Amino acid sequence: MPSYKVAIVGAGPAGYFAAQALQNLQSDSLTFTIDMIERLPTPWGLVRSGVAPDHPKIKTVSKVFEKIATAGNFRLFGNVELGTDISIEQLKDLYDAVVIATGSNVGKKLGIPGEDLPGSISAADFVPWYNAHPDFHGVDIALDCDTAIVIGAGNVAMDVARMLALEPAELEPTDTADHALAAFQKSAIRKVVISARRGPENAAFTSPELRELPKLEHTNVIISKTDIEAAQDRVGTDIEKDVKSNLDAMALISQQIETTHERTLVFQFLSTPLEIKGNTRVEEVIFNRTGTEETFSIKCGLVITAIGYEATSIPGIPYANGKVVNDLGKVEENMYVVGWAKRGPSGVIGTNKSDAAEVMKLLVSNLNSPKDNGDITTLLSSKVHISQEKWEAINAAEVAAGEPLGKPRRKAVTREELLGLGGV
Ligand code: NAP
């Protein structure tokens, strides 16, 4: 019975769903051994370092990942980086197929003057900072000012704005990184402006995220009724279901009675950022009222851009437009790509399931005779790696540390701490 070796690079949702698809494609006449390679000592990708800490339900998909990891013929090789510890050529040599599932982690730039001033950062740095990603704990976030502007109208912008505008006590029972929780407790930010270059009808938010905003107990959420009515006029009655649902959710918020909470989250539409100004740090953002000649300015000390992501290039893999060059997931003979590295930063976690399943069917249809020449273990003689067993030790230690604090887990932050919890 042919048994094929598949290496999946990247332990995020797309990588796990690719593994699951391969497991589901197994039969009496076809089996796989799956080696998942991950540069961090921890798996789960954006479920650990992207999903907002106040959205614990979204993170329950990690249970599915753990089931895949323990279903047999699956090994985790955490703390192993493709391009540094091993090369794509080595993997291609050893495995019948290599699946790239490395996502996209670099924040897109606005390309406007002042974007590199201190106080202007990307969500690609802020989000992993509050989620205890080991590479981001030292990021300096200017929380010593009254007003922050978040640029972008997608769910990442919404997460970022909500995290800045929440009463920090609401984050105490979450797995927010200790350093971030401490910084939020000291934060002077009381007004967060979430700024979209187009109108409410074109916003990329999804309606469940909008509908949870009125439930924030300590934050005024403000959307102008005039903005929503103008958007409703522009779109008329023949509109897509998602757009209608979003506009309905925003209309509900716009009808809310303003409270006396000291924290405010304000939505601003039809505002194109032209320039970020300041002497030694961010002091204001100049906007153009989209579609007009009008400009206006908002004073602020922190700007966070959440306008999409691009993939980081790994040597030996072809990239264009921030993605791996591919045809329906096939990169070249025996190399495939799934998830955001394949299609760009779009869709929710579940989108990766059907996407990976299609690509894995293609992979299986192109398999040749199985290789019989070793695997990644022959390349890792001196490199400490995190196996599934060691990851389970890290996971259990974090969950145990969180328990007395009423948190789902208390995340370790540095690589050293994580490796220590894994017993290496
Ligand atoms: P996104 O949904 O593509 O939104 C990007 C936003 O940035 C859009 O509003 C876009 O506006 C704006 N933008 C792009 N270039 C810009 C520029 N130069 N100037 C001003 N604005 C600009 O991306 P995302 O928010 O990064 O989210 C990525 C994916 O993850 C999405 O599919 C999202 O739904 C998903 N996600 C889901 C959740 C959740 O389910 N809770 C949480 C986080 C992320 P235009 O439309 O005008 O281009």
Side-chain angles (χ1 to χ4, degrees):
M1 171 170 79
S3 181
Y4 291 94
K5 295 172 291 176
V6 179
I8 298 177
V9 186
Y16 278 103
F17 286 129
Q20 186 186 49
L22 290 174
Q23 288 171 342
N24 291 343
L25 286 164
Q26 293 188 113
S27 66
D28 290 345
S29 56
L30 176 69
T31 58
F32 296 102
T33 56
I34 300 165
D35 287 345
M36 182 175 271
I37 297 152
E38 164 60 49
R39 62 182 285 269
L40 291 179
T42 53
W44 302 355
L46 284 182
V47 170
R48 181 175 167 99
S49 58
V51 173
D54 63 334
H55 279 167
K57 267 198 199 141
I58 298 181
K59 299 188 197 213
T60 56
V61 70
S62 59
K63 291 205 180 90
V64 177
F65 301 161
E66 289 307 291
K67 214 170 155 198
I68 296 164
T70 49
N73 295 340
F74 177 103
R75 295 185 299 182
L76 177 67
F77 292 87
N79 199 39
V80 176
E81 184 165 25
L82 179 63
T84 313
D85 299 314
I86 45 163
S87 69
I88 188 75
E89 285 73 26
Q90 288 173 314
L91 288 184
K92 282 197 298 192
D93 246 15
L94 292 172
Y95 287 84
D96 296 298
V98 180
V99 179
I100 306 299
T102 44
S104 40
N105 59 347
V106 179
K108 280 193 185 149
K109 293 278 228 175
L110 284 167
I112 61 172
E115 201 173 0
D116 295 326
L117 275 171
S120 162
I121 59 166
S122 167
D125 295 333
F126 181 59
V127 173
W129 171 78
Y130 63 61
N131 276 327
H133 186 301
D135 295 349
F136 292 86
H137 59 86
V139 176
D140 186 20
I141 318 285
L143 297 172
D144 57 347
C145 50
D146 175 76
T147 303
I149 299 183
V150 180
I151 293 175
N155 284 335
V156 172
M158 176 97 87
D159 282 348
V160 163
R162 210 179 54 251
M163 288 297 288
L164 287 170
L166 273 175
E167 158 62 48
E170 293 182 65
L171 293 174
E172 274 163 20
T174 72
D175 63 3
T176 307
D178 286 353
H179 59 257
L181 191 54
F184 286 133
Q185 279 158 351
K186 281 192 276 175
S187 168
I189 291 176
R190 293 296 175 267
K191 181 175 179 184
V192 180
V193 179
I194 181 164
S195 184
R197 62 179 170 180
R198 297 195 285 159
E201 70 277 31
N202 299 118
F205 311 124
T206 48
S207 59
E209 278 60 37
L210 286 164
R211 284 180 202 281
E212 77 179 57
L213 291 178
K215 295 176 201 150
L216 296 183
E217 283 182 26
H218 305 281
T219 311
N220 262 322
V221 182
I222 299 175
I223 296 184
S224 136
K225 253 190 205 167
T226 323
D227 283 353
I228 302 307
E229 284 163 7
Q232 284 164 333
D233 283 349
R234 282 192 294 270
V235 294
T237 49
D238 185 20
I239 49 171
E240 277 174 44
K241 206 171 132 230
D242 289 351
V243 176
K244 180 170 184 329
S245 181
N246 264 7
L247 287 180
D248 287 350
M250 288 191 246
L252 273 180
I253 298 171
S254 75
Q255 287 152 16
Q256 281 197 134
I257 296 156
E258 224 177 282
T259 60
T260 52
H261 299 317
E262 59 165 12
R263 291 164 202 273
T264 306
L265 169 56
V266 192
F267 285 70
Q268 163 176 291
F269 293 100
L270 293 167
S271 302
T272 304
L274 294 179
E275 184 175 1
I276 301 171
K277 279 184 146 174
N279 283 318
T280 55
R281 57 173 284 179
V282 170
E283 290 173 26
E284 64 178 327
V285 180
I286 313 292
F287 289 96
N288 162 248
R289 188 87 59 205
T290 309
T292 72
E293 298 290 304
E294 190 191 332
T295 60
F296 66 98
S297 143
I298 301 182
K299 301 267 181 228
C300 65
L302 173 65
V303 175
I304 303 187
T305 46
I307 59 167
Y309 294 85
E310 291 175 336
T312 311
S313 296
I314 298 169
I317 301 173
Y319 288 86
N321 306 318
K323 296 183 273 191
V324 174
V325 178
N326 73 90
D327 181 15
L328 299 174
K330 183 168 180 181
V331 183
E332 57 183 58
E333 183 73 16
N334 294 343
M335 201 208 292
Y336 297 83
V337 61
V338 291
W340 281 10
K342 169 190 175 233
R343 51 174 212 279
S346 66
V348 292
I349 290 165
T351 313
N352 294 298
K353 188 169 173 166
S354 49
D355 189 54
E358 285 306 310
V359 180
M360 292 308 100
K361 268 194 233 155
L362 184 65
L363 178 156
V364 168
S365 70
N366 288 328
L367 285 168
N368 298 313
S369 321
K371 289 181 182 164
D372 184 20
N373 53 344
D375 56 37
I376 186 173
T377 52
T378 57
L379 304 173
L380 294 179
S381 50
S382 62
K383 175 79 191 176
V384 170
H385 78 267
I386 294 290
S387 61
Q388 177 65 23
E389 198 185 3
K390 289 181 177 132
W391 154 241
E392 284 171 14
I394 297 173
N395 194 17
E398 285 192 339
V399 171
E403 211 174 359
L405 305 168
K407 298 171 187 277
R409 69 177 61 237
R410 179 166 180 253
K411 283 179 177 174
V413 175
T414 63
R415 278 171 192 266
E416 293 68 33
E417 257 182 286
L418 288 162
L419 293 174
L421 294 180
V424 294

